[in-house]
Amino acid sequence: MYDYMRALEDRFNSKPSYEQRQQLEAMRQEVSAQLDKEGRKKLLRLVDAHTLAQEDVSLVSSIAGFRPAWAFEMEREQVEATPAFKNSFRKRRKLPW
């Protein structure tokens, strides 16, 4: 299920544009230039942790939106399968069968 949701998220969520990535990289390099070696390592770990957290939040958000839609679809299919629904549909559409 996790892989399926990840694929859906990748398909429908937009990624940052090339210009946005370039701006972020330029800012990172600017800050990195002002830090010593240990500071740069900490900065990279912070950026990596932030990126992972963003990806997790994005996936959880996608799943949270998918679950109610899935439940609604399952409920709709059950309602449409009932004889009462089929009869009312036939009457509204005036179908002979």
Side-chain angles (χ1 to χ4, degrees):
M1 175 82 169
Y2 180 85
D3 293 334
Y4 178 70
M5 292 306 299
R6 174 64 75 185
L8 283 175
E9 179 196 21
D10 289 344
R11 168 69 175 87
F12 292 106
N13 286 352
S14 61
K15 303 293 182 200
S17 68
Y18 177 76
E19 293 82 20
Q20 289 172 326
R21 289 192 309 250
Q22 292 295 88
Q23 287 176 340
L24 288 171
E25 181 60 22
M27 284 187 267
R28 188 196 63 78
Q29 287 178 357
E30 182 181 326
V31 171
S32 182
Q34 298 173 6
L35 299 173
D36 62 348
K37 186 175 182 178
E38 188 61 34
R40 286 191 295 271
K41 286 181 182 180
K42 286 181 182 179
L43 176 63
L44 287 175
R45 284 194 296 262
L46 176 65
V47 169
D48 288 344
H50 182 261
T51 302
L52 287 175
Q54 280 184 317
E55 289 176 359
D56 287 345
V57 167
S58 178
L59 180 61
V60 167
S61 177
S62 295
I63 292 171
F66 180 79
R67 284 182 178 156
W70 183 265
F72 176 77
E73 178 61 20
M74 293 296 104
E75 185 175 333
R76 186 188 64 80
E77 286 179 6
Q78 288 176 354
V79 167
E80 288 181 358
T82 61
F85 180 84
K86 289 179 182 177
N87 290 336
S88 68
F89 180 77
R90 286 185 195 121
K91 287 177 186 174
R92 282 183 278 147
R93 301 288 186 233
K94 298 182 180 172
L95 299 174
W97 62 90

